[in-house]
Amino acid sequence: MSVTEINICKTIARFGILAFFCFGILARCASVGTPQGGPRDSLPPKVVMMTPAFGTTNFKDKRITIQFNEYVQLKDQQKEFFTSPFMKKKPTLMLRGRGIQIDLKEDLDSNQTYSLNFGKSVVDNNEGNPYTGLRYVFSTGDHIDSLLMSGYTTDAMTTDTVGNVYILFYDAKTDSIPQYDSTLLKSKPIAVGKSFPNGIFIAENLKPIDYRIYALEDNNGNLEYEPGVDRVAFLDSTYNPLNQPGFDIWYDTTRRYMQADPQVMMRMFMDKPFRRQTYTGSKRTHGNRIVLTFTAPHPDIKELSFEGIDPGKIVTEYGNSKRDTMELWFDSRSEDLPDTLRGKLIYMKHDSLFRLQPDTQLLKLGWRAPVEKRKEEKKKKEDDLPEPNPFKVRVAGGTTLNPEKNIVFEFDYPLTGVDSAAMSLLKLGEGDQTTPVGLTFRQDTLKLRKWTLAAPWEADQKYRLLIPAGVFKNTNGESNDTLRSEFTIESPEKYATLVLNIQGKTPESEYVVQVISPQGSVLKEVAHLKTGSHTLQYIDVGTVKIRFIEDLNGNGRWDTGSLVERRQPERVGMYVDDNNSEEITTKENWELVFDVDMNRIFGPITMESMTAKINRDNEARLKAIAKKRAEDAANQKKQHNSGGGMGMGSMGGMGSMIGR
């Protein structure tokens, strides 16, 4: 496309927006009110006058008024209203008669085009119909900047749409990038746009210059970037609106806001925050359990000791995914520990200059058993009744087992001893015939109280698991009663099978495949896939999608980006069939074969590929709406019918392992 053609397309697009806007300004109503008994008012308010006029140049006023054809209200203005560029002191908005009064609270930059963007904050007084997309534009110079850019904001990991995101434009000449990018933290954008709820944005009133473009999800509403709180995105190159391809703009009558074909894609990610490392506190939640909390993950502990307690008797576990909380379990019964534990913690703490320095904290933690528990123990002792075994374990599963998931055990306390050789796993044959089966029992590397029992399972075979008393011993001095269970290995014929013939970008390229539900939950994940044929069994019957991660560093997981280091997040792509659909229908005993070309999935991002994705998402949205309406209609019919009953279920399998 030539420069002339690009300018023509942009001129048409620009006048399309202005024509739509001016239609709202010039329209009039003969009667403001609705006759009693008439139809409900569904029309938004209409602008009848702006003072100073829309598009004023050499602007020097401090007050702007916008008059409507009816009384209006302001709704969610803190969330909806913003200025381009941002102002340190946000203008104040007040209702005045049938209009809005806007007072500017700071001096304006010279030769700058400004826009006041109201979003959906202006609604009519009676029915709350919003005037979507109301803008007021003026310039402190002698002309209005008038170029446009469009784009699309998505989540880099899930590929889902991210709406209501600020698009920030910085002058590439003024805001050059040093070794580390601190643009969002130190500089002010010279133009701002915002994406609609469906992720599309149309940034207006841009200059014909090179921009560095960022996207910011302002979760705290302070118009400032906070790593670890706000998702962010950036484009690797600079972009001049004058040199971008032309695009179509139209009004979406369903969503009731403008839409456009996107020129760029902003892949939003959550950057890892930098936090000062500081000890924030401790608590003793049980007699033999202490929790230490810090402001940053992975505290560097130089010494941690308690009076009268052998350090080898302390089991350490991180209590959350952020790894800023340490759980200490003492290998001793609660009643054998003193009411007050005294200890010393030496760790590396950030000082005011962000330098790590040793810091010492003296610990003093008290604990007493709850009064009710002491009374119960005293009563049981007086009655001379045998106490139930307090040892607890939760076992995932039932009467059938998916062999790829194995058997997962979760304990209340960390284990200090496991006699796995005493466990017995038998494969049951005809009659009384049994065959011993070897098993492994491994601890999770992150969750120390989680263990997995695995074995060479055979489909459609029945097994018996016996765990004798005393096999498990925990830090509270407790041990298990005898646990036994019988279960059957599920047949792959009750599931679907996916065969992926992968053609990688290179023979060494690695990928992670995820089979996900239509709602986005991960049903199966397999890492380190390269060029070749790969079979995925035990796929749930129904509708699934296949998501791929371009695993550039080969660590078997998706890695987020870094704004400071200007490192983009690893790319994620969906398998799409020839009908531009992501959804795959699976049935029992079906084997589905897919040829997957990674050069296609992870090819260049173009307007065509973005438009195709937007169309897929829109079709899925409309399909979900139609399904919901059908379900609501069916439920309304059922409301006229009565009946039903209650049934009794049975318990068994691994989920309720019997101890005798």
Side-chain angles (χ1 to χ4, degrees):
M1 180 180 288
S2 67
V3 174
T4 302
E5 291 173 319
I6 292 173
N7 290 335
I8 291 174
C9 288
K10 290 179 179 176
T11 302
I12 293 173
R14 181 165 66 252
F15 277 101
I17 292 181
L18 291 176
F20 175 77
F21 180 82
C22 291
F23 175 80
I25 294 179
L26 299 176
R28 298 289 190 275
C29 285
S31 175
V32 175
T34 300
Q36 189 172 5
R40 177 183 178 275
D41 178 18
S42 61
L43 298 176
K46 294 179 173 59
V47 175
V48 297
M49 182 179 294
M50 290 182 170
T51 307
F54 179 90
T56 294
T57 56
N58 299 309
F59 185 93
K60 293 181 173 58
D61 294 84
K62 288 291 186 179
R63 176 169 292 175
I64 302 161
T65 58
I66 303 177
Q67 296 294 323
F68 299 90
N69 67 330
E70 59 181 312
Y71 290 101
V72 298
Q73 295 289 336
L74 291 172
K75 181 180 179 181
D76 296 331
Q77 68 182 73
Q78 294 298 324
K79 181 176 68 175
E80 294 287 339
F81 177 78
F82 72 96
T83 65
S84 174
F86 291 145
M87 298 182 183
K88 290 183 179 180
K89 297 180 180 179
K90 208 168 186 179
T92 59
L93 279 60
M94 293 181 290
L95 297 174
R96 288 288 185 267
R98 292 187 177 183
I100 300 173
Q101 176 180 301
I102 305 103
D103 290 326
L104 305 180
K105 296 299 184 180
E106 66 178 50
D107 294 333
L108 303 177
D109 296 333
S110 59
N111 297 315
Q112 174 69 52
T113 296
Y114 284 87
S115 67
L116 309 182
N117 303 271
F118 294 83
K120 296 189 294 183
S121 62
V122 178
V123 301
D124 68 21
N125 190 52
N126 295 324
E127 301 293 344
N129 299 310
Y131 186 141
T132 303
L134 174 63
R135 303 177 75 241
Y136 178 81
V137 179
F138 63 91
S139 174
T140 56
D142 57 7
H143 72 281
I144 299 286
D145 297 324
S146 56
L147 293 181
L148 310 173
M149 273 195 69
S150 65
Y152 183 42
T153 52
T154 67
D155 184 276
M157 171 57 204
T158 65
T159 73
D160 293 337
T161 291
V162 182
N164 301 312
V165 169
Y166 289 112
I167 313 301
L168 311 179
F169 293 81
Y170 293 83
D171 188 338
K173 291 183 179 179
T174 303
D175 295 296
S176 60
I177 297 178
Q179 183 178 1
Y180 295 102
D181 189 354
S182 59
T183 303
L184 288 189
L185 301 174
K186 296 182 178 180
S187 301
K188 174 185 174 182
I190 61 174
V192 179
K194 193 174 185 180
S195 65
F196 295 110
N198 71 333
I200 293 293
F201 68 83
I202 305 171
E204 304 181 53
N205 305 113
L206 301 177
K207 301 175 183 292
I209 63 173
D210 290 341
Y211 287 103
R212 298 196 184 279
I213 306 176
Y214 298 78
L216 171 65
E217 181 185 43
D218 185 28
N219 285 318
N220 284 342
N222 56 6
L223 302 182
E224 295 180 356
Y225 173 51
E226 297 180 68
V229 176
D230 302 318
R231 280 182 289 185
V232 69
F234 64 93
L235 297 179
D236 292 319
S237 305
T238 60
Y239 287 81
N240 187 326
L242 191 63
N243 301 328
Q244 299 307 304
F247 61 94
D248 292 331
I249 296 178
W250 65 94
Y251 180 72
D252 190 320
T253 56
T254 302
R255 294 187 173 97
R256 296 188 177 182
Y257 49 75
M258 301 300 294
Q259 288 291 275
D261 291 329
Q263 295 172 310
V264 296
M265 176 182 283
M266 310 297 294
R267 298 193 300 125
M268 310 290 295
F269 62 91
M270 186 72 75
D271 207 344
K272 294 180 180 179
F274 174 80
R275 297 176 182 169
R276 293 177 184 267
Q277 185 59 278
T278 304
Y279 164 79
T280 57
S282 60
K283 58 183 177 180
R284 192 174 175 184
T285 59
H286 297 76
N288 60 352
R289 177 177 179 263
I290 288 176
V291 177
L292 305 178
T293 55
F294 299 83
T295 56
H298 302 288
D300 185 1
I301 308 297
K302 298 302 182 183
E303 180 183 337
L304 180 58
S305 59
F306 291 88
E307 295 179 4
I309 297 179
D310 182 356
K313 295 286 187 178
I314 302 176
V315 179
T316 302
E317 178 183 18
Y318 284 100
N320 57 24
S321 59
K322 296 180 180 178
R323 302 184 74 80
D324 57 5
T325 301
M326 292 179 61
E327 296 182 359
L328 308 179
W329 299 86
F330 298 96
D331 185 8
S332 180
R333 296 188 306 168
S334 298
E335 51 267 32
D336 294 336
L337 293 171
D339 290 344
T340 301
L341 285 172
R342 302 178 186 273
K344 181 170 66 173
L345 166 68
I346 301 178
Y347 75 105
M348 301 303 290
K349 173 184 177 181
H350 279 115
D351 62 16
S352 59
L353 299 178
F354 290 92
R355 297 174 302 188
L356 285 171
Q357 303 289 344
D359 184 72
T360 300
Q361 294 286 332
L362 298 179
L363 306 175
K364 181 180 178 181
L365 300 111
W367 184 83
R368 287 180 62 83
V371 176
E372 293 78 7
K373 184 176 181 180
R374 294 200 300 269
K375 287 181 178 179
E376 290 177 4
E377 291 175 349
K378 182 178 180 181
K379 185 176 184 300
K380 289 177 181 178
K381 188 173 182 180
E382 292 174 351
D383 295 341
D384 198 23
L385 296 175
E387 296 183 11
N389 189 347
F391 185 93
K392 293 181 181 179
V393 58
R394 292 174 296 280
V395 185
T399 56
T400 60
L401 174 67
N402 182 331
E404 294 188 346
K405 296 181 179 179
N406 293 305
I407 307 175
V408 178
F409 294 71
E410 292 193 36
F411 300 90
D412 277 7
Y413 292 86
L415 298 183
T416 57
V418 177
D419 185 8
S420 58
M423 298 182 187
S424 171
L425 180 64
L426 301 175
K427 183 174 69 172
L428 307 183
E430 296 182 0
D432 296 332
Q433 183 180 2
T434 60
T435 304
V437 179
L439 60 85
T440 58
F441 193 67
R442 291 193 177 93
Q443 186 179 33
D444 191 273
T445 56
L446 296 178
K447 299 180 180 179
L448 301 185
R449 286 173 286 157
K450 181 178 179 180
W451 293 69
T452 300
L453 188 152
W457 311 109
E458 296 181 22
D460 292 321
Q461 296 298 311
K462 192 172 184 179
Y463 292 81
R464 177 184 298 146
L465 175 63
L466 174 64
I467 302 177
V471 167
F472 304 136
K473 293 181 174 60
N474 64 24
T475 56
N476 205 36
E478 303 164 351
S479 60
N480 65 290
D481 289 332
T482 299
L483 304 171
R484 53 171 57 88
S485 177
E486 291 188 2
F487 51 91
T488 302
I489 301 302
E490 294 178 335
S491 170
E493 295 181 357
K494 296 182 179 179
Y495 294 82
T497 298
L498 303 181
V499 178
L500 306 179
N501 297 321
I502 293 178
Q503 178 60 53
K505 284 187 172 182
T506 69
E508 295 77 23
S509 299
E510 290 193 10
Y511 305 91
V512 179
V513 60
Q514 295 177 329
V515 181
I516 63 175
S517 69
Q519 293 74 34
S521 59
V522 178
L523 306 175
K524 179 187 288 291
E525 179 177 286
V526 182
H528 306 297
L529 300 186
K530 296 184 178 181
T531 296
S533 182
H534 305 273
T535 301
L536 279 62
Q537 292 185 312
Y538 293 94
I539 304 300
D540 289 344
V541 172
T543 301
V544 299
K545 299 180 181 181
I546 305 177
R547 185 165 64 196
F548 294 95
I549 299 171
E550 189 176 22
D551 191 10
L552 297 178
N553 58 7
N555 64 355
R557 64 175 183 270
W558 178 79
D559 290 299
T560 189
S562 171
L563 177 63
V564 172
E565 299 175 9
R566 290 193 66 80
R567 185 182 70 250
Q568 294 285 1
E570 289 181 330
R571 288 186 63 182
V572 176
M574 305 296 297
Y575 175 82
V576 181
D577 63 20
D578 294 336
N579 296 320
N580 196 36
S581 175
E582 297 177 356
E583 294 188 345
I584 298 170
T585 300
T586 60
K587 293 186 178 182
E588 287 189 12
N589 204 27
W590 273 23
E591 181 179 279
L592 304 175
V593 181
F594 300 96
D595 294 326
V596 183
D597 184 359
M598 294 303 180
N599 288 292
R600 176 185 176 187
I601 292 178
F602 297 112
I605 298 175
T606 63
M607 290 184 67
E608 290 75 16
S609 64
M610 287 186 284
T611 300
K613 181 188 182 312
I614 293 169
N615 291 338
R616 290 196 303 271
D617 292 345
N618 191 48
E619 289 178 7
R621 180 182 67 89
L622 296 176
K623 183 178 179 181
I625 292 174
K627 181 180 179 181
K628 181 66 167 55
R629 288 175 178 172
E631 291 175 350
D632 291 343
N635 290 333
Q636 288 179 358
K637 289 183 179 180
K638 290 181 180 179
Q639 289 179 357
H640 299 287
N641 301 324
S642 61
M646 297 180 62
M648 297 294 291
S650 61
M651 298 179 64
M654 292 169 292
S656 56
M657 293 190 73
I658 303 172
R660 294 194 179 101

